[in-house]
Amino acid sequence: MPELSQETERGRAVLPFGLAEVTGPSMVPTLYHGDRLLVQYGARIRPGDVIVLRHPFQQDLLVVKRAVELREGGWWVLGDNAWAGGDSTDYGVVPEELVLGRVRFRYRLARPGQRSPLAVLRWALSAARPVFADRSASRRLRAR
């Protein structure tokens, strides 16, 4: 499950936005290991949004998942990679007070070996993009 850097928490009290780094494969293909995220704290969460939350059993661990639906007791969250696990299928609904914010933007750092103009161009075209809500997520992922 993606663990996020603690930089996310330090900036939270001062600004409504913070940065985080993804580790782990549970949000592939939307997010990959090493992706950097711009998180909006306190944003309104809707089904399909990619969110940052505290793990229900290890609250010092921050994770990123997709909010599928609001149920009694909190949000049902799932990773986009069904085989990675570490979501509501393992720990049930996540209380709303553990949801920290919504992911707005994703960017990837250039690899050290990317020096050719073609490699740099490929990186530039794919490195940064907004993270949109998947409105079909609740229907598509509910069956899991």
Side-chain angles (χ1 to χ4, degrees):
M1 100 189 44
E3 177 182 332
L4 302 175
S5 70
Q6 294 303 315
E7 292 297 316
T8 302
E9 281 298 296
R10 279 186 229 135
R12 184 169 173 236
V14 179
L15 299 172
F17 289 93
L19 299 176
E21 180 179 351
V22 176
T23 60
S26 77
M27 287 299 291
V28 170
T30 305
L31 303 171
Y32 290 90
H33 180 83
D35 283 356
R36 314 285 193 210
L37 307 175
L38 178 66
V39 180
Q40 180 183 10
Y41 294 107
R44 182 174 156 216
I45 306 299
R46 295 174 295 191
D49 288 344
V50 176
I51 62 174
V52 173
L53 57 120
R54 292 186 178 282
H55 191 284
F57 302 139
Q58 292 178 286
Q59 292 186 11
D60 60 333
L61 179 65
L62 302 179
V63 295
V64 60
K65 299 291 175 193
R66 188 172 301 279
V68 177
E69 64 184 8
L70 188 59
R71 296 183 176 183
E72 185 177 329
W75 281 98
W76 187 261
V77 298
L78 295 173
D80 287 357
N81 182 351
W83 294 276
D87 53 27
S88 287
T89 57
D90 295 329
Y91 46 72
V93 296
V94 176
E96 285 192 75
E97 59 268 12
L98 296 181
V99 175
L100 301 177
R102 181 177 171 189
V103 175
R104 294 293 189 170
F105 196 78
R106 181 273 293 158
Y107 65 97
R108 294 185 177 129
L109 299 177
R111 293 187 202 121
Q114 288 181 324
R115 294 185 187 216
S116 75
L118 182 59
V120 171
L121 178 62
R122 270 191 253 149
W123 168 81
L125 293 173
S126 69
R129 69 172 185 208
V131 177
F132 295 114
D134 181 359
R135 296 292 173 223
S136 66
S138 61
R139 277 181 271 121
R140 187 181 81 238
L141 300 174
R142 190 176 299 150
R144 283 210 237 148

